[in-house]
Amino acid sequence: MHPVRVAFWLVTACAGLQAGQAVAAGWLLLRYAGLVARLGPWTRNEATLIETVYVHLIGAFVLALGLATLLAGAAMAVPRRRPQTRGLVGWALLVVILSLLLSVVYSPDSALLTADQAQLDHLQPLLPLWYTAVQACAVTAAIGCVVLAVLRLGRPDAAEYYLRHDPTATWHGFTSWLDLRFQD
């Protein structure tokens, strides 16, 4: 397949991964207040941790949703036959990688710092293990897809695709990209 087409699908897959991560965080946010009420009573230290995990969970949801939107925009820009497109998409993907690394540091798991095992056992149902696995897999797969997309956009075939465009064409969007026959 042509590198531009592969890069398009890789960036689209990253957007889907981040949307899935946002859905997982949103699901936990919807259930969070009920779990806190059901699993109480809480000590003062545990209440502080509960609030911190909640704030980090909101941050993870907003960041994943924002990255999914940014990646969807980058995916729509990939097929545009303009010389500036590769630079724009490259910078957007760099922002995505840095934001994904930030999401690992700012994850709700990093806020769950307990004093002992009994406290951890009491707080663990608020942040189930499946969420940690979903977040880790989504971030790792997204970083891998972004790196592969950047490598595909750096190939000579992709450079030729972006330099060879018709400025007199009335529509510079997906039509010209999808109708173009590539030599695979």
Side-chain angles (χ1 to χ4, degrees):
M1 283 179 79
H2 195 273
V4 175
R5 194 170 291 191
V6 173
F8 170 76
W9 288 114
L10 286 169
V11 174
T12 303
C14 288
L17 286 167
Q18 289 305 301
Q21 188 175 352
V23 166
W27 173 254
L28 284 180
L29 281 172
L30 289 175
R31 300 182 59 232
Y32 201 78
L35 281 173
V36 168
R38 189 178 48 148
L39 296 172
W42 304 100
T43 65
R44 179 172 290 187
N45 185 26
E46 289 174 338
T48 304
L49 285 174
I50 288 169
E51 188 64 31
T52 306
V53 169
Y54 182 72
V55 168
H56 281 245
L57 200 55
I58 289 173
F61 173 73
V62 169
L63 186 62
L65 195 59
L67 286 177
T69 305
L70 178 65
L71 284 164
M76 290 188 334
V78 166
R80 302 283 297 185
R81 296 182 69 126
R82 301 258 182 189
Q84 301 87 1
T85 300
R86 279 191 338 161
L88 176 72
V89 171
W91 281 107
L93 295 180
L94 177 66
V95 167
V96 166
I97 286 178
L98 294 175
S99 299
L100 286 171
L101 294 175
L102 175 68
S103 75
V104 170
V105 173
Y106 191 71
S107 72
D109 289 324
S110 67
L112 195 58
L113 301 173
T114 59
D116 56 7
Q117 185 63 38
Q119 190 178 37
L120 180 65
D121 291 341
H122 193 205
L123 291 170
Q124 192 62 45
L126 297 175
L127 196 61
L129 188 58
W130 65 262
Y131 176 74
T132 305
V134 165
Q135 183 185 18
C137 291
V139 167
T140 303
I143 288 175
C145 287
V146 165
V147 168
L148 287 174
V150 167
L151 291 175
R152 296 300 285 191
L153 288 174
R155 295 183 56 149
D157 293 347
E160 180 185 334
Y161 173 83
Y162 288 114
L163 292 177
R164 189 175 37 106
H165 88 98
D166 181 12
T168 61
T170 57
W171 172 250
H172 302 287
F174 292 100
T175 332
S176 62
W177 177 61
L178 292 174
D179 292 341
L180 189 64
R181 298 280 183 225
F182 293 114
Q183 296 175 0
D184 293 331

